[in-house]
Amino acid sequence: MNSIREINLDVDHPVLATWWEAHGWPIVPRAILPKLGVMAMAGDMPVAAAFLYLDNSVGVSMLEWLVTNPDATGKQSLAAIGAVIGFLSERALEMDYGVMLTSCRQPGLARIYERHGFAKTDEGIIHMVRKLRE
């Protein structure tokens, strides 16, 4: 992976939307994405992205909405996922967050997370969201 850059939702959300759709996932609304999001780049090609929520009362962060470019190779995707996780982990530690949570439903992604230090805590969950305001 050549670089990590912060996500600019004005430019990047339409790209991420096509990636989520290509993977068969619903598009994540801009309104629920946190300010801290990063994109891993291989040269000029965006390869993976993820966002980090930061709890405001305890040192817990949550890595979410990880997605890869469907046109990237498996090798590029794995390297980009590692770069994104590493970068966001370092950023969380710099801000005194000592725990990072994440969730997924794909067993392959769970194995990737485990290789990056995550431990499985639950299985068979369903994620729900409720908008309180438009």
Side-chain angles (χ1 to χ4, degrees), residues 15-95:
V15 172
L16 297 174
T18 63
W19 293 3
W20 285 315
E21 285 184 321
H23 288 291
W25 305 334
I27 297 171
V28 180
R30 285 179 61 148
I32 68 170
L33 293 171
K35 291 179 183 178
L36 181 49
V38 296
M39 179 92 64
M41 306 290 293
D44 292 336
M45 182 174 133
V47 180
F51 294 84
L52 191 66
Y53 292 90
L54 302 167
D55 188 275
N56 68 353
S57 62
V58 296
V60 175
S61 61
M62 186 158 189
L63 175 72
E64 275 298 336
W65 313 118
L66 175 71
V67 65
T68 58
N69 183 339
D71 295 328
T73 66
K75 185 176 180 179
Q76 287 174 319
S77 294
L78 286 173
I81 290 169
V84 165
I85 292 170
F87 182 90
L88 290 175
S89 296
E90 288 176 21
R91 182 67 63 90
L93 283 169
E94 289 169 3
M95 293 184 287

Side-chain angles (χ1 to χ4, degrees), residues 98-113:
V99 174
M100 182 179 284
L101 306 173
T102 194
S103 59
C104 67
R105 66 177 178 208
Q106 304 85 356
L109 183 53
R111 287 189 296 277
I112 292 168
Y113 281 141

